[in-house]
Amino acid sequence: MTSSDAFISIRNVNKFFGGFQAIDDVSMDIGKGEFFSLLGASGCGKTTLLRMLAGFESTSSGEILIDGQPTADVPPHHRPVNMVFQSYAIFPHLNVRDNIAYGLRKQRLPKAKRQEMVEEMLDLIKLPGYGTRKANELSGGQRQRIALARALILRPKVLLLDEPLGALDKQLREQMQLELRALQRQVGITFVFVTHDQEEALTLSDRIAVMSGGKVLQVDTPHGLYEAPRTREVASFIGNMNFFPATVRRNGASAGAVETEGLGTIPVPLDILTKPDGAPVQVALRPEKFALSDTRPDGALAVQARLSTSAYLGERSHHYVTIDGREEPVAVSTPNLHRLAGDDAGTGAPVWLSWTPESIVILDAE
Ligand SMILES: Nc1ncnc2c1ncn2[C@@H]1O[C@H](COP(=O)(O)OP(=O)(O)O)[C@@H](O)[C@H]1O
Ligand SMILES: [Mg+2]
């Protein structure tokens, strides 16, 4: 995305609370209609950034533009944004209809129009006929849908969602994730969604900003973050990753390779080698990019290994294997298509560990 397509533009934003820096030089653009997530561990600054977009918090320096307009002097209620929180911010003494219509009370709309809008929202959140229910008669998932409807009825250009599914149990949360994604596509509003749950971010988002210590480490699609993390920190935050110390080898102008500790020499196209011959790098491989077999596989790179531990998880098994030249075991995740002889032989059984050159990621040395 180029910054001319940006609907929200965050430029060199810093935020200090007294002497503590909560946001550290954050710049990014969010496109119109994007489902954009801020992902990071608790305390990394997600809520602070969201509150600055909403106008509940000022920036210490830098600039935020929404729909091309600078926001510094625009109070929250004049911004084209609305916010949904983790706790169900709905009124227990009002029924569902009055909760949803709450924000409309200042817009002098005819009663019939208002009711029509509420009915539309009830359909959208799949709770038709619930208008007269009391808020305290609803489940957690239903309350959170009401909170969404209450924000959406005001037709904001941007909806800010701060861990809105965090209080729901796992099964309901997964169901609500799919509904939320479908609903966002339907209404086409830009969503900025905060979560510390990487799976949730991967499931929902068009793009994700991975945050740590007030900084944005990488902004990318779920696929991009998983397959091409740019740093070790991002690689280990999203999923699991094995890292191998390695050295760049350039053999003239035609061939390149990385010489690793443990996986031998892996040929790679020269254009993905950005470092000079002899430069230290790290080779990263996800557990599921490896395969295990009883005999040496044809056409793949392989080393002899020993099974250290295996955990059978039904759909997949997670193993640790040890290889020569490396103290730390290698994490391997395999689909349970067939059994290995080693599965019965137990600890120390010999297996072949194999992978393809396309499955490696080359990162800067630490
Ligand atoms: N009003 C505040 N005053 C002082 N420190 C704050 C305030 N709000 C947030 N912080 C601090 O800023 C950091 C980021 O907080 P927050 O944005 O809430 O993180 P997250 O939402 O990612 O968990 C934390 O260390 C938090 O304690
Ligand atoms: Mg937070």
Side-chain angles (χ1 to χ4, degrees):
M1 196 183 60
T2 64
S3 62
S4 58
D5 313 321
F7 190 64
I8 299 175
S9 213
I10 301 172
R11 297 182 182 166
N12 304 105
V13 165
N14 290 289
K15 177 69 184 177
F16 291 88
F17 293 109
F20 175 76
Q21 185 163 15
I23 296 293
D24 188 351
D25 195 26
V26 165
S27 293
M28 59 193 174
D29 289 330
I30 300 174
K32 196 175 176 69
E34 245 192 317
F35 199 122
F36 191 95
S37 293
L38 307 177
L39 172 66
S42 177
C44 72
K46 306 180 294 295
T47 296
T48 303
L49 194 55
L50 211 61
R51 287 172 58 80
M52 289 194 290
L53 292 174
F56 298 136
E57 227 37 280
S58 60
T59 58
S60 302
S61 64
E63 195 178 28
I64 296 174
L65 290 95
I66 300 179
D67 204 4
Q69 303 300 310
T71 56
D73 302 320
V74 184
H77 60 281
H78 284 152
R79 296 190 184 199
V81 307
N82 218 307
M83 195 148 163
V84 177
F85 302 90
Q86 175 173 352
S87 55
Y88 325 112
I90 59 174
F91 301 113
H93 59 285
L94 296 182
N95 67 19
V96 167
R97 181 186 294 144
D98 293 341
N99 260 292
I100 294 177
Y102 189 78
L104 293 176
R105 72 200 186 287
K106 283 186 205 139
Q107 310 178 6
R108 310 194 170 283
L109 295 170
K111 193 173 174 203
K113 174 67 187 165
R114 213 164 49 212
Q115 283 201 349
E116 183 193 315
M117 288 168 78
V118 170
E119 294 307 322
E120 253 175 52
M121 281 299 147
L122 285 170
D123 284 341
L124 187 69
I125 58 167
K126 301 207 177 77
L127 290 176
Y130 275 68
T132 54
R133 290 272 189 109
K134 286 267 183 49
N136 59 13
E137 293 167 1
L138 302 172
S139 70
Q142 290 170 335
R143 283 182 206 205
Q144 202 53 313
R145 281 180 228 190
I146 307 295
L148 265 175
R150 205 172 64 174
L152 286 171
I153 202 168
L154 302 173
R155 304 188 188 279
K157 291 180 177 165
V158 181
L159 194 62
L160 307 172
L161 303 104
D162 195 354
E163 313 225 14
L165 310 180
L168 306 178
D169 63 45
K170 186 171 160 33
Q171 212 176 349
L172 184 56
R173 197 165 75 226
E174 283 169 3
Q175 183 197 333
M176 285 285 290
Q177 284 168 3
L178 299 177
E179 287 184 19
L180 194 62
R181 178 73 235 212
L183 189 143
Q184 189 265 344
R185 289 229 169 95
Q186 207 176 334
V187 297
I189 292 172
T190 307
F191 274 30
V192 185
F193 183 91
V194 160
T195 182
H196 64 268
D197 180 334
Q198 43 144 321
E199 248 179 71
E200 183 161 285
L202 294 175
T203 306
L204 285 169
S205 317
D206 293 314
R207 288 190 309 149
I208 300 168
V210 180
M211 295 181 65
S212 173
K215 289 193 171 72
V216 169
L217 303 178
Q218 187 170 344
V219 179
D220 216 325
T221 60
H223 185 267
L225 281 180
Y226 192 81
E227 301 292 339
R230 283 206 292 268
T231 60
R232 183 165 179 149
E233 197 173 359
V234 171
S236 13
F237 188 71
I238 310 271
N240 294 319
M241 190 69 106
N242 297 291
F243 299 96
F244 301 84
T247 308
V248 170
R249 293 293 174 222
R250 291 172 174 269
N251 306 316
S254 58
V258 280
E259 189 183 315
T260 68
E261 286 177 26
L263 300 182
T265 298
I266 304 173
V268 290
L270 272 179
D271 57 352
I272 70 163
L273 284 179
T274 55
K275 306 263 167 187
D277 187 57
V281 289
Q282 300 180 80
V283 163
L285 260 144
R286 300 256 179 224
E288 73 278 10
K289 305 285 186 189
F290 284 110
L292 295 179
S293 52
D294 292 318
T295 52
R296 184 176 189 131
D298 293 333
L301 299 169
V303 292
Q304 186 95 65
R306 287 192 178 274
L307 269 182
S308 172
T309 60
S310 290
Y312 176 78
L313 303 175
E315 202 180 335
R316 305 188 69 79
S317 286
H318 289 181
H319 316 268
Y320 284 102
V321 304
T322 53
I323 54 178
D324 286 344
R326 179 185 166 95
E327 206 170 311
E328 200 185 335
V330 180
V332 179
S333 170
T334 56
N336 284 322
L337 303 175
H338 54 82
R339 291 180 65 73
L340 292 167
D343 287 343
D344 296 321
T347 305
V351 285
W352 284 92
L353 176 70
S354 57
W355 66 94
T356 61
E358 297 77 46
S359 57
I360 71 167
V361 179
I362 300 173
L363 301 173
D364 288 354
E366 286 288 273

